[in-house]
Amino acid sequence: MGRKAAASQPKGQSTSVTPDIIKVEAIRLFSERGYPVIGMRDLSEAVGILPGSLYAHIASKEKLLLDIVASGVRNFTDVIAPIVERDGPADERLREAIRAHMRVLAVTLDQTRVTFHQWHYLTNDNLDQMVAVRRDYEMLFKRLVAEGIEDGTLLGTSRPTVATLSIIGVLGSATEWFSPTGSASADEIGDAIADVLTLGLGTR
Amino acid sequence: MGRKAAASQPKGQSTSVTPDIIKVEAIRLFSERGYPVIGMRDLSEAVGILPGSLYAHIASKEKLLLDIVASGVRNFTDVIAPIVERDGPADERLREAIRAHMRVLAVTLDQTRVTFHQWHYLTNDNLDQMVAVRRDYEMLFKRLVAEGIEDGTLLGTSRPTVATLSIIGVLGSATEWFSPTGSASADEIGDAIADVLTLGLGTR
DNA sequence: CCTACCGATCGGTAGG
DNA sequence: CCTACCGATCGGTAGG
């Protein structure tokens, strides 16, 4: 639902256009075909108004992208930060953080795709803002790895930086292959990823 | 070098434009700013000819992208396939495949960024072709994991599919953070990644 | 939120 | 590889 609902809605004032509706449609379109390829005319059509009318609700195409990607990262940090900051062995917190990541991903898949793949189309201040919130996100996992080496629950064997980047890398890649309609739940996939990263695939 | 070299080169027939030169410049531009954002005028300027003249050397903008991404995947499969197909324990072959991946990445970083991040701008037949070669690439790691479970050198613990996707995910993410000028060599990073994936980060 | 429109830029081509 | 150009589309705005 929603796909053609807005576009085919004739004139009725039943549901008037709001910034949130525009955001939802933009997320879907940007996710499917990419930010630079989507024109304001595509978006206005999906929402059911004329192209110029979009600017009664949003400042610019790029500000719309910034809104999507900045809140897209916050969806994750809001949930993961409390897990990182609480007490307990770092390896257990890492597992919980990975599971939480997957749960957020499951309910914000399209927005996350836009967030992780299209933020680099931002420019100037908008880009700077995004780089900052991204760094916050990455810092959470960096801390978990560092604390795991401290408390002895995570190995210092491999370079800690590579370890951190591997964790973030796997979670980022899940954006491309996770399916909310698949047989495995977000928590099950999260546990499987945590297994790979902490237990490893080797037998000895 | 190369950056302004072609553009500021006045007229001299010293180095005439070839399809390969266009490809090299396109890789750099697409990698830096994204395929849809780069215009044929940007490319022609980088190469030192007028926009329309590009079409004496290439068929279209999209065929140029296809050329870049298809050969971009083959750079990896050409090197990794022989490792997968040879004899020996699967865990050792997996480590060698990961190391080989990183060495190819180190010498084709820009092209790999375009290959892994912009192939979805292809359409129709071009898209189909790319999906096919991508599947070949992913199949290599899928086989390694399956053979590792068979020969007992890799654990069946976690879902094998998640294991495969995790490997591919980490290697794909390396495209975003690997630096050829960094202190760690491609092989060292490759070993660190193989350690994370086979030994795991956990202590027990 | 519509009408009416702006200048800029897009990929690509005919004919040398 | 240049000259000269095409129709289409782009993000965005003035004034209601």
Side-chain angles (χ1 to χ4, degrees):
Chain A
M1 65 170 121
R3 175 78 212 246
K4 276 282 167 184
S8 60
Q9 176 186 324
K11 284 288 172 190
Q13 75 291 46
S14 48
T15 48
S16 70
V17 171
T18 65
D20 262 10
I21 293 178
I22 294 176
K23 187 172 170 179
V24 167
E25 290 301 312
I27 285 170
R28 186 175 55 78
L29 290 169
F30 293 169
S31 161
E32 276 173 6
R33 292 160 53 203
Y35 170 80
V37 164
I38 297 298
M40 298 311 272
R41 284 155 186 82
D42 298 311
L43 182 54
S44 72
E45 212 172 300
V47 153
I49 58 180
L50 293 184
S53 305
L54 286 171
Y55 292 89
H57 304 101
I58 64 166
S60 70
K61 191 189 177 192
E62 187 172 329
K63 282 292 181 195
L64 178 59
L65 178 62
L66 175 64
D67 182 24
I68 291 169
V69 298
S71 67
V73 178
R74 257 181 264 114
N75 289 338
F76 289 93
T77 50
D78 285 353
V79 170
I80 296 175
I83 295 173
V84 174
E85 280 151 16
R86 74 191 187 200
D87 295 326
D91 61 342
E92 286 177 16
R93 283 180 288 143
L94 174 60
R95 177 173 294 267
E96 276 312 309
I98 290 170
R99 287 162 51 99
H101 179 104
M102 291 306 298
R103 286 193 300 270
V104 172
L105 176 62
V107 296
T108 63
L109 188 54
D110 280 349
Q111 183 171 6
T112 304
R113 289 201 167 118
V114 177
T115 301
F116 285 9
H117 287 36
Q118 330 234 1
W119 62 268
H120 53 262
Y121 291 118
L122 295 172
T123 60
N124 307 322
D125 302 4
N126 296 330
L127 181 58
D128 294 342
Q129 275 188 247
M130 184 56 189
V131 168
V133 300
R134 259 187 82 91
R135 190 169 27 229
D136 291 342
Y137 168 83
E138 292 175 4
M139 197 64 71
L140 293 174
F141 290 96
K142 200 169 177 179
R143 273 181 52 188
L144 279 177
V145 169
E147 291 177 20
I149 292 172
E150 262 183 68
D151 75 7
T153 60
L154 293 177
L155 222 40
T157 288
S158 54
R159 304 156 187 273
T161 308
V162 171
T164 306
L165 292 170
S166 296
I167 295 167
I168 294 169
V170 174
L171 294 179
S173 80
T175 303
E176 281 151 40
W177 51 261
F178 179 76
S179 165
T181 61
S183 57
S185 72
D187 273 326
E188 286 169 336
I189 301 280
D191 270 321
I193 291 175
D195 284 346
V196 169
L197 290 172
T198 60
L199 303 178
L201 298 169
T203 37
R204 303 156 311 301
Chain B
M1 60 169 127
R3 176 75 210 247
K4 277 282 167 186
S8 61
Q9 174 186 325
K11 285 288 172 190
Q13 74 294 46
S14 48
T15 48
S16 72
V17 171
T18 66
D20 263 9
I21 293 178
I22 294 175
K23 186 172 172 180
V24 167
E25 290 300 311
I27 285 171
R28 187 175 56 79
L29 290 169
F30 293 169
S31 161
E32 275 173 7
R33 290 161 54 203
Y35 170 78
V37 164
I38 297 298
M40 298 311 272
R41 283 154 186 84
D42 298 312
L43 183 54
S44 74
E45 212 172 301
V47 153
I49 59 180
L50 293 183
S53 305
L54 286 170
Y55 292 87
H57 303 101
I58 65 166
S60 69
K61 192 190 176 192
E62 187 172 328
K63 282 292 181 194
L64 178 59
L65 178 62
L66 174 64
D67 182 24
I68 291 169
V69 298
S71 68
V73 178
R74 256 181 264 115
N75 289 338
F76 289 94
T77 50
D78 285 353
V79 170
I80 296 175
I83 296 173
V84 173
E85 280 151 15
R86 75 190 185 200
D87 295 325
D91 62 342
E92 286 177 17
R93 282 179 289 144
L94 175 58
R95 177 173 295 268
E96 275 313 308
I98 290 171
R99 289 162 49 101
H101 179 104
M102 292 306 298
R103 286 193 299 271
V104 172
L105 177 62
V107 295
T108 62
L109 189 54
D110 280 349
Q111 183 171 8
T112 304
R113 291 201 165 118
V114 177
T115 302
F116 284 10
H117 286 38
Q118 330 234 1
W119 62 269
H120 53 265
Y121 291 117
L122 295 172
T123 61
N124 308 322
D125 303 5
N126 297 330
L127 181 58
D128 294 343
Q129 273 188 247
M130 184 54 189
V131 168
V133 301
R134 260 188 82 91
R135 191 169 28 228
D136 292 343
Y137 168 83
E138 293 176 4
M139 196 63 73
L140 293 174
F141 289 97
K142 199 170 177 178
R143 274 180 52 188
L144 279 178
V145 169
E147 292 179 21
I149 292 172
E150 261 182 70
D151 75 7
T153 59
L154 293 177
L155 225 37
T157 289
S158 54
R159 304 155 188 275
T161 308
V162 171
T164 306
L165 292 169
S166 296
I167 295 167
I168 294 169
V170 174
L171 294 179
S173 79
T175 304
E176 281 149 40
W177 52 260
F178 178 76
S179 166
T181 60
S183 57
S185 73
D187 272 327
E188 286 168 337
I189 300 279
D191 271 320
I193 290 175
D195 284 346
V196 170
L197 289 172
T198 59
L199 304 177
L201 299 168
T203 38
R204 299 161 307 304

Short mmCIF file of all heavy atoms in Angstrom, two decimals, chain B residues 63-86:
data_model
loop_
_atom_site.label_atom_id
_atom_site.label_comp_id
_atom_site.label_asym_id
_atom_site.label_seq_id
_atom_site.Cartn_x
_atom_site.Cartn_y
_atom_site.Cartn_z
N LYS B 63 27.57 1.98 -21.42
CA LYS B 63 28.47 0.90 -21.86
C LYS B 63 29.85 1.09 -21.23
O LYS B 63 30.55 0.13 -20.94
CB LYS B 63 28.59 0.91 -23.38
CG LYS B 63 27.40 0.27 -24.10
CD LYS B 63 27.32 -1.23 -23.86
CE LYS B 63 26.14 -1.85 -24.61
NZ LYS B 63 25.84 -3.22 -24.13
N LEU B 64 30.22 2.34 -21.05
CA LEU B 64 31.49 2.64 -20.38
C LEU B 64 31.47 2.13 -18.94
O LEU B 64 32.42 1.50 -18.47
CB LEU B 64 31.73 4.15 -20.40
CG LEU B 64 32.99 4.69 -19.72
CD1 LEU B 64 34.25 4.10 -20.33
CD2 LEU B 64 33.02 6.22 -19.81
N LEU B 65 30.36 2.36 -18.26
CA LEU B 65 30.22 1.84 -16.89
C LEU B 65 30.26 0.32 -16.87
O LEU B 65 30.94 -0.29 -16.03
CB LEU B 65 28.91 2.33 -16.26
CG LEU B 65 28.62 1.82 -14.84
CD1 LEU B 65 29.69 2.27 -13.85
CD2 LEU B 65 27.23 2.28 -14.36
N LEU B 66 29.56 -0.29 -17.80
CA LEU B 66 29.55 -1.76 -17.86
C LEU B 66 30.96 -2.30 -18.05
O LEU B 66 31.36 -3.26 -17.37
CB LEU B 66 28.66 -2.24 -19.01
CG LEU B 66 28.68 -3.76 -19.26
CD1 LEU B 66 28.12 -4.51 -18.06
CD2 LEU B 66 27.89 -4.12 -20.52
N ASP B 67 31.71 -1.67 -18.94
CA ASP B 67 33.08 -2.09 -19.19
C ASP B 67 33.90 -2.03 -17.90
O ASP B 67 34.63 -2.97 -17.55
CB ASP B 67 33.69 -1.18 -20.26
CG ASP B 67 35.11 -1.58 -20.61
OD1 ASP B 67 35.47 -2.75 -20.40
OD2 ASP B 67 35.88 -0.72 -21.09
N ILE B 68 33.73 -0.95 -17.16
CA ILE B 68 34.49 -0.75 -15.92
C ILE B 68 34.12 -1.79 -14.87
O ILE B 68 34.99 -2.41 -14.25
CB ILE B 68 34.25 0.67 -15.37
CG1 ILE B 68 34.91 1.71 -16.28
CG2 ILE B 68 34.77 0.80 -13.94
CD1 ILE B 68 34.50 3.14 -15.98
N VAL B 69 32.84 -2.00 -14.65
CA VAL B 69 32.43 -2.88 -13.55
C VAL B 69 32.59 -4.36 -13.89
O VAL B 69 32.93 -5.16 -13.02
CB VAL B 69 30.97 -2.59 -13.10
CG1 VAL B 69 30.87 -1.17 -12.57
CG2 VAL B 69 29.98 -2.86 -14.19
N ALA B 70 32.36 -4.71 -15.14
CA ALA B 70 32.51 -6.13 -15.52
C ALA B 70 33.97 -6.54 -15.41
O ALA B 70 34.30 -7.58 -14.82
CB ALA B 70 31.97 -6.37 -16.92
N SER B 71 34.88 -5.72 -15.96
CA SER B 71 36.29 -6.06 -15.84
C SER B 71 36.75 -5.88 -14.39
O SER B 71 37.70 -6.54 -13.95
CB SER B 71 37.14 -5.20 -16.78
OG SER B 71 37.13 -3.84 -16.39
N GLY B 72 36.06 -5.03 -13.66
CA GLY B 72 36.39 -4.84 -12.25
C GLY B 72 36.15 -6.08 -11.42
O GLY B 72 36.91 -6.38 -10.49
N VAL B 73 35.11 -6.82 -11.73
CA VAL B 73 34.85 -8.08 -11.02
C VAL B 73 35.83 -9.15 -11.49
O VAL B 73 36.35 -9.93 -10.70
CB VAL B 73 33.41 -8.57 -11.25
CG1 VAL B 73 33.19 -9.91 -10.55
CG2 VAL B 73 32.42 -7.55 -10.71
N ARG B 74 36.08 -9.16 -12.80
CA ARG B 74 36.98 -10.18 -13.34
C ARG B 74 38.39 -10.08 -12.76
O ARG B 74 39.08 -11.09 -12.62
CB ARG B 74 37.00 -10.09 -14.88
CG ARG B 74 36.18 -11.21 -15.53
CD ARG B 74 36.21 -11.15 -17.04
NE ARG B 74 35.06 -10.45 -17.58
CZ ARG B 74 35.09 -9.30 -18.25
NH1 ARG B 74 36.25 -8.69 -18.46
NH2 ARG B 74 33.99 -8.77 -18.71
N ASN B 75 38.81 -8.85 -12.43
CA ASN B 75 40.10 -8.70 -11.75
C ASN B 75 40.19 -9.61 -10.53
O ASN B 75 41.25 -10.16 -10.23
CB ASN B 75 40.30 -7.25 -11.30
CG ASN B 75 40.53 -6.30 -12.47
OD1 ASN B 75 40.94 -6.72 -13.55
ND2 ASN B 75 40.25 -5.02 -12.26
N PHE B 76 39.08 -9.76 -9.83
CA PHE B 76 39.07 -10.60 -8.62
C PHE B 76 38.91 -12.08 -8.94
O PHE B 76 39.66 -12.91 -8.45
CB PHE B 76 37.96 -10.13 -7.67
CG PHE B 76 38.25 -8.81 -7.02
CD1 PHE B 76 37.78 -7.63 -7.56
CD2 PHE B 76 39.02 -8.75 -5.87
CE1 PHE B 76 38.06 -6.40 -6.97
CE2 PHE B 76 39.31 -7.53 -5.26
CZ PHE B 76 38.83 -6.36 -5.83
N THR B 77 37.93 -12.39 -9.78
CA THR B 77 37.67 -13.81 -10.05
C THR B 77 38.87 -14.47 -10.74
O THR B 77 39.18 -15.62 -10.46
CB THR B 77 36.40 -13.99 -10.90
OG1 THR B 77 36.46 -13.14 -12.03
CG2 THR B 77 35.17 -13.64 -10.09
N ASP B 78 39.54 -13.73 -11.61
CA ASP B 78 40.70 -14.30 -12.30
C ASP B 78 41.77 -14.78 -11.32
O ASP B 78 42.43 -15.79 -11.57
CB ASP B 78 41.33 -13.25 -13.23
CG ASP B 78 40.51 -13.03 -14.49
OD1 ASP B 78 39.53 -13.77 -14.68
OD2 ASP B 78 40.83 -12.11 -15.26
N VAL B 79 41.92 -14.07 -10.24
CA VAL B 79 42.97 -14.40 -9.28
C VAL B 79 42.49 -15.39 -8.22
O VAL B 79 43.23 -16.25 -7.76
CB VAL B 79 43.49 -13.10 -8.61
CG1 VAL B 79 44.41 -13.42 -7.44
CG2 VAL B 79 44.20 -12.23 -9.64
N ILE B 80 41.23 -15.25 -7.83
CA ILE B 80 40.72 -16.06 -6.71
C ILE B 80 40.27 -17.45 -7.16
O ILE B 80 40.43 -18.43 -6.43
CB ILE B 80 39.59 -15.30 -5.99
CG1 ILE B 80 40.15 -14.02 -5.36
CG2 ILE B 80 38.93 -16.17 -4.92
CD1 ILE B 80 39.12 -13.13 -4.73
N ALA B 81 39.73 -17.54 -8.36
CA ALA B 81 39.21 -18.84 -8.83
C ALA B 81 40.26 -19.96 -8.76
O ALA B 81 39.96 -21.04 -8.26
CB ALA B 81 38.65 -18.71 -10.24
N PRO B 82 41.49 -19.72 -9.24
CA PRO B 82 42.51 -20.79 -9.17
C PRO B 82 42.81 -21.21 -7.73
O PRO B 82 43.13 -22.37 -7.48
CB PRO B 82 43.76 -20.14 -9.80
CG PRO B 82 43.25 -19.02 -10.61
CD PRO B 82 42.01 -18.53 -9.94
N ILE B 83 42.70 -20.30 -6.79
CA ILE B 83 42.95 -20.63 -5.39
C ILE B 83 41.84 -21.53 -4.86
O ILE B 83 42.08 -22.52 -4.16
CB ILE B 83 43.05 -19.35 -4.53
CG1 ILE B 83 44.27 -18.53 -4.97
CG2 ILE B 83 43.12 -19.69 -3.04
CD1 ILE B 83 44.37 -17.18 -4.31
N VAL B 84 40.62 -21.21 -5.23
CA VAL B 84 39.48 -22.00 -4.78
C VAL B 84 39.55 -23.41 -5.37
O VAL B 84 39.23 -24.39 -4.69
CB VAL B 84 38.16 -21.32 -5.18
CG1 VAL B 84 36.96 -22.21 -4.86
CG2 VAL B 84 38.01 -19.98 -4.48
N GLU B 85 40.00 -23.46 -6.63
CA GLU B 85 39.97 -24.75 -7.33
C GLU B 85 41.13 -25.69 -7.02
O GLU B 85 41.10 -26.87 -7.36
CB GLU B 85 39.91 -24.50 -8.84
CG GLU B 85 38.50 -24.16 -9.31
CD GLU B 85 38.50 -23.26 -10.54
OE1 GLU B 85 39.55 -23.14 -11.21
OE2 GLU B 85 37.44 -22.67 -10.83
N ARG B 86 42.14 -25.20 -6.35
CA ARG B 86 43.27 -26.09 -6.08
C ARG B 86 43.01 -26.98 -4.87
O ARG B 86 41.98 -26.86 -4.20
CB ARG B 86 44.55 -25.27 -5.90
CG ARG B 86 44.66 -24.56 -4.58
CD ARG B 86 45.86 -23.59 -4.61
NE ARG B 86 46.05 -22.99 -3.31
CZ ARG B 86 46.74 -21.87 -3.12
NH1 ARG B 86 47.28 -21.23 -4.17
NH2 ARG B 86 46.90 -21.37 -1.92
#
